[in-house]
Amino acid sequence: MSDTTGKPQNTAAFYGQSVASFAVAMAATAIGIFKLHADAWVRAFLAIAVLYLVTSAFTLAKVIRDRQDAQTRAYSPFEKL
């Protein structure tokens, strides 16, 4: 009998593409803010706002994932004790 949980795993290619996409998006945003024709305080405000948005997105994704994991871990009468 197998001890695997049956949870689907992400492939290395999917993980790599996700990391690359995030890096490109952050770089493009940083370059856009840096090249913006505005005062330094405006660019600094936008940079702080982007960092806050990114950390909030990571936190939201973690909270949603944790809530879904809690809902799917119900007792199954056929699970190994």
Side-chain angles (χ1 to χ4, degrees):
M1 187 180 268
S2 175
D3 288 334
T4 59
T5 60
K7 290 173 65 175
Q9 296 285 328
N10 291 332
T11 63
F14 179 75
Y15 179 78
Q17 188 238 345
S18 299
V19 170
S21 176
F22 178 75
V24 167
M26 285 297 292
T29 304
I31 291 169
I33 291 173
F34 180 72
K35 296 283 188 175
L36 185 66
H37 296 294
D39 292 337
W41 73 269
V42 174
R43 291 194 309 259
F45 176 80
L46 291 174
I48 295 293
V50 167
L51 291 177
Y52 181 60
L53 181 63
V54 168
T55 58
S56 296
F58 277 118
T59 303
L60 178 62
K62 182 189 177 308
V63 168
I64 291 172
R65 183 201 62 206
D66 291 347
R67 180 178 281 183
Q68 288 176 344
D69 284 349
Q71 290 175 351
T72 59
R73 292 192 185 172
Y75 173 74
S76 171
F78 300 108
E79 77 179 307
K80 190 175 180 179
L81 297 176

